[in-house]
Amino acid sequence: MSIKILPPGLAAKIAAGEVVERPSSVVKELVENSIDAGASQITVEIKSGGVEHIKVIDDGHGIPTEEVAIAFQRHATSKIDSEEQLDAIATLGFRGEALPSIAAVSRSVITTRQPLEPGGFRLELLWGETVSSGAQGCPAGTAVEVSDLFGNLPARRKFLRSSSAETSRIQELVSRYALVFPGIRFQLLVDGRVSFTSPGNGLPREALLAVYGPQAATSMLEVHGEDSEIGYQVDGFAGAPSLTRANRTYMTFFVNRRWVQSRMLSYAVEEAYAGLLQVKRYPMAVVNISIPYEEVDVNSHPSKREVRFREESRVFSVVQRAVRAVLVADSPVPNLAPPLHSDYPVTVAPSFFPRSAFGSYRNAGYSHDGMPDFQGGFAGGPADAAAPRQQAPPLKVVGHLKLTYIVAEGPAGMFLVDQHAAHERVLFDRISQKPTEREPQSQPLLEPVSVELSPSQGDTLQSNRESLENYGFQFEPFGDGSYLLRAVPAIFGETDPAKSLLDVLDMTAFEGLVRQKEDVTAASIACHGAIRAGKSLTEPEMVALLEQLEATPNPHTCPHGRPTMVHFSSNHMEREFGRR
Ligand code: ADP
Ligand code: MG
């Protein structure tokens, strides 16, 4: 074959391959355009994993009628107009490639209206060629509808993964953007059903709640840090060391609010947790790095998922230090020197209590899998090998601190007991006893309550149905994503039954990513049923709680692995007061 320039249609198809790899790339480009357009609300609709249909609707500034067709030409952009600007890109888009690339491999329809214009405009293209265009009334903002994706590229279409895999990529994408743009209300509809919404009220923690559920949202720590000399700023959330995951996908990074993938940034965060996590466990983190635009090259990757930093090691260090600072501040360790030789073998989950970073008994109490090893114990030695695995010390209530911690005196010093964690442990043990040994679990409702579930909550309910029923929930499908709730676990007492089910489902979905199935449901139910921090307790209630805790086989950690108690040893106190 002789060398010749390809016809434009074919060239466009090839170029489209770079930008539009799969349905989620279309969603990414369209959502980024909506963000760049200053939208405060972005709705994404997909059908069949996006192959059949994608529609992204925003309330942004729209496109002037006379520019709509231009937007679909290659290298047409309103975002940069000089070479210098390429060195300091403030928008998510800048290449002017997305719309033409998407249009080249689909049927695309755009309707758009600028807020101050009376009328809008509609343009329809098939495989990149205009089919029709003209004035059209429409809401202010822009809607781009893409259907029959890769209909003219059968090879590409064949290589797509299942529609559920594409759907989850899109869910991930939308939720990531919701995290870093808490001021934008995102909504994702999958096959006609709402799969995700974010409140868009500007509160980062509420965005976190929408994405990761109540447990992570309440327990993640806020990260702030800066390198003021060079103008870097780090903001976000990092999971407490007890909130770990089995892989790195729960670390999300943004650079100037652009979602990026970066090994370097993962390492920076992992480094911050050094000594705090068990092997093969990874933290949860959501981190945005704000950095002067000229310090970062965002034009180094076809889909802009990777970026290059001018001063990589400085970025590494500001992220690492910011995350480390909050972890250290949150840890009780600095105030709690570990006993060199404890009379009583009490400890807490190692992941929460980074002794290796501060203290001296790195090898003293933990078995190889990182869990507390009480047989080896601090007293140590083979003589203890037959000792009971765990036993809570007999504790005497001394007081109540911040309506959260029970202050108690034990055989070897002072103990602070977290009332929620302790009660969670007690309830968990109660409900996970064998059905023959336990009291009835279920508490029928006087009137059944109808509960509407999101598709993902519905999935969680279905896949955990057996254990939910086993622990006392009774429900039946009521059509259209609703369920009729007839009974709840007896331990819930008077709490709102519908809310209880939703809470338990959210927690189960979240915890289910890391734990064994049965445990997860029980842990979620226990967590929901347990007394909260901040609730005042009478002395008899505190005494009863400590007694019940002492009777459980694993009194030192809650079902999620957090410590139920921390210990201030008498030895330590004596040293601190210079008595020895
Ligand atoms: P880029 O985003 O790199 O500029 P695109 O091909 O994605 O290139 O879009 C081309 C142009 O169309 C943009 O520069 C912008 O002016 C306009 N545009 C695209 N989507 C929207 C939208 N949702 N709202 C307003 N303008 C848009
Ligand atoms: Mg764009």
Side-chain angles (χ1 to χ4, degrees):
M1 259 197 284
S2 55
I3 300 175
K4 53 186 173 304
I5 304 228
L6 294 173
L10 181 51
K13 265 194 191 182
I14 292 171
E18 289 260 299
V19 183
V20 190
E21 200 190 340
R22 53 191 343 122
S24 62
S25 357
V26 173
V27 176
K28 174 175 186 287
E29 294 296 338
L30 296 179
V31 165
E32 290 186 352
N33 279 346
S34 298
I35 294 171
D36 282 343
S40 60
Q41 172 143 4
I42 300 176
T43 302
V44 179
E45 297 172 10
I46 58 166
K47 288 205 181 102
S48 309
V51 176
E52 192 189 315
H53 172 92
I54 294 172
K55 188 169 186 182
V56 175
I57 307 156
D58 68 51
D59 62 353
H61 59 50
I63 307 177
T65 295
E66 62 283 5
E67 293 180 9
V68 178
I70 305 174
F72 281 84
Q73 286 178 27
R74 201 151 288 282
H75 310 303
T77 178
S78 59
K79 299 173 191 174
I80 56 173
D81 59 8
S82 70
E83 231 173 281
E84 295 80 71
Q85 282 179 348
L86 198 54
D87 295 330
I89 290 164
T91 46
L92 295 172
F94 54 86
R95 290 186 183 140
E97 282 178 343
L99 291 183
S101 298
I102 294 166
V105 293
S106 70
R107 176 185 291 277
S108 308
V109 180
I110 184 169
T111 50
T112 182
R113 177 167 76 79
Q114 296 186 286
L116 298 179
E117 294 296 323
F121 191 79
R122 177 181 188 278
L123 169 65
E124 176 171 353
L125 305 98
L126 178 63
W127 320 136
E129 302 291 328
T130 300
V131 174
S132 67
S133 68
Q136 162 126 353
C138 60
T142 304
V144 179
E145 195 175 347
V146 174
S147 45
D148 202 7
L149 186 62
F150 302 131
N152 58 343
L153 276 184
R156 175 64 58 106
R157 197 152 175 170
K158 259 205 321 258
F159 278 98
L160 291 180
R161 297 209 288 152
S162 67
S163 99
S164 67
E166 297 299 331
T167 299
S168 44
R169 275 172 184 269
I170 293 168
Q171 284 168 326
E172 185 187 15
L173 181 108
V174 173
S175 64
R176 290 309 180 271
Y177 272 114
L179 285 174
V180 77
F181 288 96
I184 299 178
R185 192 178 131 77
F186 286 89
Q187 179 163 52
L188 172 63
L189 285 104
V190 174
D191 298 319
R193 294 171 60 171
V194 177
S195 130
F196 172 79
T197 46
S198 70
N201 57 8
L203 302 174
R205 205 178 277 276
E206 298 212 1
L208 203 62
L209 179 79
V211 176
Y212 287 125
Q215 237 230 319
T218 46
S219 63
M220 283 177 87
L221 312 164
E222 252 178 85
V223 173
H224 296 290
E226 59 178 353
D227 181 335
S228 48
E229 207 177 296
I230 194 163
Y232 296 173
Q233 196 181 318
V234 177
D235 295 284
F237 293 94
S242 54
L243 191 72
T244 62
R245 293 293 174 263
N247 60 46
R248 293 191 169 87
T249 53
Y250 291 84
M251 285 188 269
T252 310
F253 300 101
F254 305 89
V255 174
N256 292 331
R257 304 217 276 181
R258 178 192 303 282
W259 183 26
V260 299
Q261 251 152 8
S262 160
R263 292 295 291 179
M264 183 274 282
L265 291 173
S266 309
Y267 283 136
V269 168
E270 286 169 46
E271 192 61 26
Y273 283 81
L276 303 180
L277 298 184
Q278 299 167 22
V279 277
K280 298 253 172 72
R281 300 296 297 177
Y282 300 93
M284 280 186 78
V286 177
V287 174
N288 178 53
I289 303 144
S290 308
I291 154 171
Y293 296 120
E294 56 279 7
E295 288 284 319
V296 52
D297 180 7
V298 295
N299 194 20
S300 63
H301 186 263
S303 63
K304 299 173 278 186
R305 280 303 307 279
E306 287 166 24
V307 296
R308 282 204 219 118
F309 297 102
R310 209 168 58 79
E311 296 216 47
E312 191 156 83
S313 60
R314 255 177 120 149
V315 175
F316 181 95
S317 127
V318 67
V319 171
Q320 191 266 342
R321 278 187 290 113
V323 176
R324 184 78 189 177
V326 62
L327 297 177
V328 170
D330 179 63
S331 158
V333 169
N335 308 321
L336 274 182
L340 295 172
H341 158 82
S342 168
D343 327 64
Y344 185 78
V346 66
T347 186
V348 297
S351 57
F352 213 68
F353 215 52
R355 295 202 173 93
S356 56
F358 302 96
S360 56
Y361 53 32
R362 190 186 295 259
N363 301 317
Y366 307 136
S367 61
H368 63 278
D369 61 0
M371 292 310 289
D373 175 2
F374 289 89
Q375 290 171 356
F378 297 119
D384 292 310
R389 266 194 74 70
Q390 283 197 31
Q391 214 178 37
L395 296 175
K396 192 176 120 222
V397 173
V398 177
H400 200 194
L401 206 65
K402 295 181 82 173
L403 300 181
T404 299
Y405 308 106
I406 301 170
V407 187
E409 188 180 349
M414 182 177 85
F415 292 79
L416 286 182
V417 179
D418 180 311
Q419 67 194 40
H420 175 72
H423 197 212
E424 251 184 305
R425 165 55 68 197
V426 169
L427 293 181
F428 179 81
D429 277 58
R430 192 178 301 165
I431 62 178
S432 48
Q433 273 166 3
K434 285 204 209 76
T436 46
E437 290 166 13
R438 68 188 182 204
E439 296 159 26
Q441 305 264 35
S442 207
Q443 167 186 323
L445 303 177
L446 287 177
E447 294 207 1
V449 176
S450 108
V451 189
E452 212 168 292
L453 301 185
S454 73
S456 64
Q457 288 167 329
D459 290 348
T460 311
L461 178 125
Q462 283 307 340
S463 51
N464 294 280
R465 175 164 204 131
E466 212 175 302
S467 45
L468 287 166
E469 290 178 344
N470 187 18
Y471 296 129
F473 279 109
Q474 276 174 31
F475 46 80
E476 62 208 48
F478 196 46
D480 216 21
S482 292
Y483 284 80
L484 212 51
L485 187 57
R486 296 195 177 276
V488 296
I491 58 165
F492 284 175
E494 299 289 290
T495 55
D496 175 352
K499 188 169 174 300
S500 299
L501 178 64
L502 295 174
D503 267 15
V504 167
L505 290 175
D506 288 346
M507 270 187 251
T508 302
F510 178 70
E511 287 284 321
L513 302 169
V514 287
R515 294 160 60 101
Q516 295 264 313
K517 212 169 180 178
E518 196 80 342
D519 274 355
V520 172
T521 319
S524 305
I525 292 173
C527 181
H528 182 77
I531 48 170
R532 304 286 139 129
K535 181 175 187 309
S536 86
L537 297 178
T538 62
E539 187 168 337
E541 284 171 333
M542 291 191 268
V543 171
L545 178 57
L546 293 186
E547 275 171 8
Q548 291 167 358
L549 181 65
E550 281 161 31
T552 65
N554 295 300
H556 296 143
T557 54
C558 82
H560 305 295
R562 283 203 305 123
T564 55
M565 62 178 76
V566 296
H567 176 205
F568 297 76
S569 80
S570 315
N571 287 346
H572 172 58
M573 282 191 261
E574 284 172 14
R575 270 199 313 278
E576 289 289 302
F577 287 108
R579 288 178 171 275
R580 45 148 95 184

